[in-house]
Amino acid sequence: MTIDHQILTANAQVAAARTGRGARRGWLLLALTFLIPICSHAESISKEYKLKAAFIYNFTKFVMEWPTNRFAAKDAPITIGVLGKNPFGEELATVVQGRNAQGHPFRVKLLTTIEEAKNADVLFVAHGQESLLQEQLPALQAAGVLTIGESEAFGDLGGLINFTIEPNATTGEDNIRFKINLTETEKSGFKFSSQLLKVAQIVRRKT
Amino acid sequence: MDFLNHLPLNRKLTLLTVLTSGVALAVACVVLASYEQMNIRRRLVNDLATTAAITAANSTAGLTFDDPATVQQTLKSLATQPHIVRACVYDTEAKPFAIYQRANVSRSLLSPPVERDGHRFTNLSLQLFQTIKFDSEMIGTIFLETDLEEIQASLWRYVFLLAALLVACSLLALVVAARLQRVISQPVANLVATAARVTTERDYSIRAQPQGDDEIGKLTDGFNQMLAQIQTQDAALQKSHQELEQRVQDRTRQLADSLSLTRATLEATTDAILVADGRGKITGFNENFLTLWRIPRELGEAGQEEAMLAMAMAQVNRPEQFRAKVQQIYEESQAESFDVLEFKDGRFLELFSKPQMLGDKCVGRVWSHRDITERKRSEAALAKLNQDLLETSRRAGMAEVATGVLHNVGNVLNSLNVASTCIADQLRNSKATNLCRAVDLLIDNQTRLTEFVVNDPKGRQVLPYLRNLSEHISGEHAAVLKELGEVQQHIDHIKDIVAMQQSFARVSGVAEPVSVAELLTEAVRMNESSLHRHAIQVVKDFTTTPTITVEKHKALQILVNLLRNAKQACDGLAREAKQITLSVANESNHVAISVHDEGVGIQPENLTRIFSLGFTTKKNGHGFGLHSGALAAQELGGALRVASAGPDHGATFTLELPLQPPRRTA
């Protein structure tokens, strides 16, 4: 994602060229332009992953403490890796483009092997791709990788955050929710915001 | 503020203090209340903002992860703050995400449309919009509305507290001021009481109690000093008052003495005295005055000047002149006056007035009247006697002079008689008749004259006889001539005697050229002092005058005489009439100098007699002036004439003088 990175840098440079409120308003508009498509109309599947892409981005923001020495510098990029099949298309890259979490910019990497996953800071494992983990999940988490999945299998493996689908009685649409395995989270050295925990379903399970 | 002036000082001070502190406190309370309201509002806004911030923070995850239920839950916790009426969280699309409404609000309120960040107070509530940010990203907006009951209540509490404080402080101030004002009012009250005591008891020895060192203390000291001074002055005043009283008594006595002396003097004098003030008001008179003027006593004592003057005027001759004179005298307040009044009943009154001076100011006039009827009469008799005596003595004098002259001339005549007798004897005894006889003898012998002379014995004797006879007659002639020479001498002597007698009567001078104007000026100057004294004005009614050749002193003597006469004629005239007019008329060979006056005039019958020797109308005149003047005028080759329209119509004397003096016979 060199191109994305270059664009991001370019945007940053543009933003740096501006000053004060003008610059902030620019950022706000930019964020809105990205958020609006996420939250509104899209294809059913596409909408699900648009939301999930936004959620992934938001998770990074609710991380209060990354495991120690995770980043070399304060502005070192957060690498989001998608292991195996990529259900987001360009969505995830679009969502994180030009954004940052606690000063860290993003880059998205599509990973094919678990070996590559070791360099990622956030790892998304799509439904049915759990096998690619090859029992390496605890090791990754211990290394300080924020693992996100969307299947019961992933939950059973002890992944930190796991998307679920809940049917909404009033709208008839499915709501995307998520579970957090607090035991694993504490073990891996992550500290999530209490806000996040308030929204999530808390799971305490030892592997 | 006017009512303050009527309050006693202690009340005034108390009131002022309480008012001042009250006003200050009230202002402070208003400021405090305003400040408190501002603070309460700011605090409310801050509190609400804080609540909003907390709520927003608690809503971030719900908003981010699209979970309205958690946000709803968060908003429900606002129920712990009962003053919050409603709350709403909007998503980024400004759609309400979660809504909260206070339980006891009956109707459901619509969520207001999203506004920009900020707060505003409505009548009953405070509304606040605040953007919800998460990690510098705007993720929604929160709206909170709170009622103001609590802050209104607390504000009212505060106001009540302040009001109570104000009242309490004012009461405290009243108490304190009521006690403290005595510090000022007590000394002043003491001072006032002292002043009142001094006034009522009239005792200047009372002293105010000393009061310390402030202004009131100084005032007290000053008051005491003033009292001390007043006491001293009062004592001095009492003393001087007593002295003054004594002096007034002394002076009154002196005045009474003086008055009685004056009165006695006034009454003792035989003169009638009248005293008037500067405006003619009668201020005093004596008995003689009333008697003399025959004025009733009550009229005089009533001081009715006009009535008295009318009475006086009715008694005198020429009353209008008298009135004018009196008025004139009053106008010339500083002058003395002297007049003789003639009464209708034949009395004469000498009226003398003198101003009464007080310093430089004339304050009145004293009139002294003296009945001089008797004196006038005796004077007239005396004048008559004098006149007679004078005439007699003049005659006697003239006789004496004549006797002297005659005596001298008689003596000479004696000698002259002797000389003439001698001549007569000589002539009587003359041999001239013998000559006739001898001549007759010769005529008889005419025919034979030679024979007769040679032969005839008689004839022979004729020639020697003639010879002897001629010798004799020559001797006689010489003797008669000698006698005639003596007669001549005697006649010259008589001439000398007469001339000498004449030289006593007149001084002969030398004629000299002189200007008529100069003559007149000199004549006026010689009379100047008396003219001035009688306030007579001299008018020179001429412009150019000729120069005449004349014996100056003679002409001058005549003019001086004329002026003196004119002046005397003016006596007894009113001031404006006292005027002498001099005029000069230039004729072909002589000049006429006129002296005119408006005085007493001349009776027509006297016009012819006026130049005669010994005629005079003046009581002490000798009738020589005009007579000698007329003579002198004749001597100068001129004449002196008189013209008068009658008594009181003035007179004009005219002196005519030739331009050149007549050739004088030796």
Side-chain angles (χ1 to χ4, degrees):
Chain A
M1 292 305 291
T2 349
I3 300 164
D4 291 343
H5 183 58
Q6 276 170 353
I7 291 165
L8 184 75
T9 322
N11 273 333
Q13 280 167 349
V14 169
R18 298 180 186 171
T19 49
R21 282 173 58 178
R24 274 200 296 278
R25 197 181 293 160
W27 279 110
L28 201 70
L29 283 169
L30 204 64
L32 277 170
T33 42
F34 286 114
L35 274 169
I36 288 163
I38 298 168
C39 304
S40 63
H41 39 349
E43 292 305 309
S44 181
I45 298 167
S46 172
K47 188 189 175 186
E48 182 191 337
Y49 282 97
K50 273 182 181 172
L51 275 172
K52 283 183 177 171
F55 274 32
I56 290 165
Y57 159 70
N58 282 326
F59 289 146
T60 61
K61 305 197 79 171
F62 282 90
V63 175
M64 293 289 101
E65 271 179 34
W66 292 84
T68 40
N69 303 326
R70 183 72 227 169
F71 298 106
K74 282 202 164 187
D75 55 352
I78 297 171
T79 310
I80 303 173
V82 180
L83 188 65
K85 188 185 85 181
N86 176 19
F88 301 108
E90 290 299 311
E91 188 60 36
L92 188 58
T94 313
V95 165
V96 300
Q97 188 177 17
R99 288 178 159 171
N100 61 63
Q102 294 105 42
H104 301 286
F106 294 95
R107 76 184 158 183
V108 179
K109 272 191 174 176
L110 298 175
L111 309 172
T112 45
T113 64
I114 192 70
E115 310 309 318
E116 288 171 296
K118 283 175 184 163
N119 295 325
D121 303 303
V122 178
L123 181 71
F124 180 77
V125 182
H127 185 72
Q129 303 294 309
E130 296 84 3
S131 57
L132 289 173
L133 291 171
Q134 296 173 350
E135 307 290 326
Q136 292 292 312
L137 192 64
L140 280 174
Q141 285 176 183
V145 178
L146 179 60
T147 57
I148 303 168
E150 53 176 356
S151 62
E152 289 211 12
F154 182 77
D156 294 342
L157 284 170
L160 297 185
I161 300 174
N162 198 11
F163 287 114
T164 58
I165 303 290
E166 275 179 15
N168 190 324
T170 48
T171 56
E173 283 181 24
D174 290 342
N175 278 353
I176 296 168
R177 305 261 53 112
F178 52 89
K179 292 177 179 174
I180 291 176
N181 190 329
L182 212 57
T183 320
E184 293 300 323
T185 305
E186 281 162 7
K187 214 161 78 182
S188 63
F190 278 100
K191 271 194 184 162
F192 290 125
S193 157
S194 61
Q195 293 289 316
L196 185 66
L197 300 179
K198 204 162 71 182
V199 180
Q201 286 177 273
I202 305 300
V203 177
R204 289 181 186 273
R205 193 190 307 158
K206 286 196 175 175
T207 44
Chain B
M1 283 296 173
D2 199 36
F3 74 98
L4 269 181
N5 293 333
H6 305 299
L7 280 179
L9 186 63
N10 52 354
R11 295 250 185 98
K12 210 182 292 189
L13 281 169
T14 311
L15 186 65
L16 286 177
T17 313
V18 172
L19 269 178
T20 311
S21 55
V23 166
L25 273 171
V27 170
C29 286
V30 168
V31 169
L32 275 177
S34 310
Y35 184 68
E36 183 62 18
Q37 190 196 20
M38 213 168 72
N39 265 346
I40 287 175
R41 286 188 162 208
R42 197 161 49 202
R43 211 156 55 225
L44 187 70
V45 171
N46 280 344
D47 286 354
L48 200 62
T50 309
T51 307
I54 290 166
T55 313
N58 289 337
S59 307
T60 46
L63 267 171
T64 310
F65 296 107
D66 195 20
D67 188 4
T70 42
V71 177
Q72 200 73 47
Q73 203 59 41
T74 307
L75 289 185
K76 256 186 195 149
S77 66
L78 289 173
T80 56
Q81 299 184 46
H83 57 88
I84 291 180
V85 180
R86 54 179 173 156
C88 182
V89 172
Y90 303 86
D91 62 16
T92 50
E93 288 170 332
K95 281 193 280 191
F97 189 75
I99 294 170
Y100 163 78
Q101 194 166 321
R102 199 163 65 186
N104 57 349
V105 174
S106 50
R107 61 199 172 90
S108 79
L109 296 162
L110 283 173
S111 301
V114 174
E115 292 177 24
R116 291 182 56 188
D117 284 13
H119 67 269
R120 69 154 172 264
F121 281 93
T122 66
N123 278 344
L124 297 166
S125 66
L126 169 64
Q127 297 181 340
L128 182 125
F129 284 93
Q130 197 168 302
T131 316
I132 306 173
K133 278 188 179 166
F134 179 61
D135 196 20
S136 81
E137 243 173 58
M138 183 238 180
I139 57 173
T141 307
I142 184 166
F143 163 76
L144 289 177
E145 184 174 10
T146 174
D147 63 33
L148 300 175
E149 278 165 18
E150 193 183 320
I151 70 157
Q152 300 285 36
S154 77
L155 193 64
W156 276 119
R157 273 200 305 278
Y158 194 75
V159 167
F160 282 131
L161 181 71
L162 284 180
L165 196 66
L166 183 62
V167 170
C169 286
S170 297
L171 284 174
L172 190 65
L174 182 66
V175 172
V176 172
R179 295 190 77 81
L180 286 185
Q181 55 83 19
R182 287 183 204 154
V183 172
I184 293 168
S185 69
Q186 199 58 50
V188 174
N190 288 345
L191 206 56
V192 169
T194 310
R197 254 184 75 202
V198 169
T199 311
T200 48
E201 294 174 21
R202 295 196 167 279
D203 181 1
Y204 296 111
S205 63
I206 297 170
R207 291 290 177 272
Q209 196 185 341
Q211 306 273 9
D213 206 23
D214 61 352
E215 283 86 345
I216 295 174
K218 281 173 188 153
L219 182 65
T220 311
D221 292 348
F223 182 71
N224 283 342
Q225 283 168 16
M226 209 163 70
L227 278 177
Q229 281 175 13
I230 291 172
Q231 196 180 5
T232 317
Q233 283 171 8
D234 194 45
L237 202 67
Q238 292 283 354
K239 191 158 170 279
S240 73
H241 189 255
Q242 282 166 6
E243 284 173 11
L244 195 67
E245 201 109 294
Q246 186 59 42
R247 266 162 66 190
V248 165
Q249 280 174 10
D250 291 354
R251 284 290 149 83
T252 310
R253 203 162 47 239
Q254 284 170 14
L255 203 64
D257 289 354
S258 171
L259 202 65
S260 79
L261 183 67
T262 306
R263 197 72 232 173
T265 311
L266 211 60
E267 292 303 339
T269 181
T270 53
D271 291 352
I273 304 289
L274 173 72
V275 186
D277 68 8
R279 284 162 301 162
K281 176 133 186 87
I282 290 170
T283 52
F285 52 82
N286 62 359
E287 283 294 323
N288 285 348
F289 174 75
L290 297 177
T291 316
L292 198 65
W293 282 100
R294 293 167 188 157
I295 289 172
R297 171 175 294 279
E298 55 277 10
L299 204 63
E301 280 170 354
Q304 293 175 351
E305 293 84 11
E306 279 304 315
M308 286 164 78
L309 187 61
M311 284 193 76
M313 276 172 66
Q315 294 178 50
V316 298
N317 284 333
R318 293 196 270 177
E320 281 313 314
Q321 204 175 329
F322 169 61
R323 180 190 262 274
K325 181 81 186 171
V326 168
Q327 273 175 2
Q328 185 199 342
I329 288 166
Y330 273 115
E331 279 158 23
E332 298 163 21
S333 60
Q334 307 274 338
E336 292 182 8
S337 77
F338 180 79
D339 291 281
V340 175
L341 298 176
E342 199 177 339
F343 276 54
K344 282 175 180 165
D345 59 8
R347 285 189 298 158
F348 284 90
L349 205 66
E350 213 172 58
L351 185 57
F352 177 71
S353 85
K354 197 170 174 160
Q356 181 191 352
M357 304 301 289
L358 195 67
D360 288 342
K361 209 168 159 244
C362 173
V363 295
R365 185 166 281 274
V366 179
W367 299 84
S368 169
H369 313 67
R370 183 171 290 177
D371 190 341
I372 54 162
T373 316
E374 282 307 311
R375 202 178 83 198
K376 271 273 175 194
R377 270 183 207 144
S378 55
E379 256 178 22
L382 203 63
K384 175 92 174 56
L385 193 64
N386 235 359
Q387 184 77 23
D388 294 351
L389 273 174
L390 201 71
E391 201 61 36
T392 314
S393 72
R394 182 174 291 123
R395 282 191 199 119
M398 285 198 304
E400 196 178 330
V401 170
T403 309
V405 171
L406 286 179
H407 173 74
N408 287 339
V409 172
N411 284 345
V412 179
L413 278 177
N414 227 10
S415 307
L416 198 63
N417 198 28
V418 171
S420 67
T421 308
C422 277
I423 293 167
D425 286 350
Q426 202 93 41
L427 289 176
R428 203 177 295 126
N429 300 326
S430 177
K431 299 289 192 261
T433 49
N434 294 352
L435 185 60
C436 293
R437 277 195 306 241
V439 170
D440 285 346
L441 200 61
L442 283 173
I443 291 163
D444 287 346
N445 297 302
Q446 207 170 358
T447 50
R448 51 167 202 116
L449 200 52
T450 315
E451 198 220 315
F452 180 68
V453 173
V454 179
N455 296 328
D456 195 282
K458 264 178 120 178
R460 271 199 315 239
Q461 287 177 332
V462 169
L463 284 175
Y465 182 75
L466 278 175
R467 186 185 175 88
N468 285 340
L469 191 64
S470 67
E471 277 174 4
H472 192 81
I473 286 171
S474 293
E476 271 181 6
H477 190 242
V480 167
L481 270 180
K482 185 172 168 276
E483 284 302 319
L484 278 173
E486 268 179 33
V487 167
Q488 188 73 49
Q489 270 180 2
H490 289 310
I491 289 169
D492 280 350
H493 190 195
I494 290 169
K495 228 167 87 182
D496 282 351
I497 289 166
V498 172
M500 199 170 70
Q501 206 60 39
Q502 275 181 339
S503 75
F504 285 124
R506 67 182 171 105
V507 181
S508 168
V510 187
E512 54 185 310
V514 63
S515 157
V516 173
E518 200 179 298
L519 263 180
L520 284 170
T521 309
E522 206 162 323
V524 170
R525 198 174 62 233
M526 287 168 83
N527 272 320
E528 198 157 49
S529 59
S530 68
L531 288 171
H532 186 70
R533 193 167 58 242
H534 289 84
I536 294 169
Q537 206 177 354
V538 177
V539 177
K540 292 181 184 172
D541 184 22
F542 53 83
T543 46
T544 54
T545 59
T547 300
I548 56 171
T549 307
V550 73
E551 283 181 39
K552 188 181 166 189
H553 72 273
K554 266 186 191 162
L556 207 53
Q557 190 60 44
I558 299 164
L559 291 173
V560 165
N561 254 323
L562 294 182
L563 277 169
R564 188 184 298 134
N565 282 345
K567 180 206 79 190
Q568 285 163 351
C570 284
D571 279 353
L573 279 188
R575 172 172 270 270
E576 54 273 11
K578 283 186 171 182
Q579 183 174 307
I580 296 174
T581 311
L582 302 178
S583 53
V584 177
N586 209 352
E587 307 289 343
S588 58
N589 58 351
H590 69 270
V591 61
I593 303 164
S594 298
V595 177
H596 173 75
D597 67 75
E598 297 290 349
V600 290
I602 302 159
Q603 300 278 355
E605 62 267 25
N606 287 343
L607 280 174
T608 47
R609 295 200 289 156
I610 198 154
F611 294 115
S612 60
L613 184 63
F615 178 81
T616 183
T617 55
K618 304 170 206 161
K619 67 170 182 276
N620 50 357
H622 42 65
F624 192 70
L626 283 174
H627 174 67
S628 68
L631 280 180
Q634 275 174 358
E635 276 173 14
L636 295 173
L640 186 59
R641 301 181 203 287
V642 64
S644 172
D648 294 327
H649 286 86
T652 308
F653 285 85
T654 307
L655 172 63
E656 289 180 5
L657 288 174
L659 296 178
Q660 291 295 326
R663 221 164 273 284
R664 196 163 301 190
T665 45

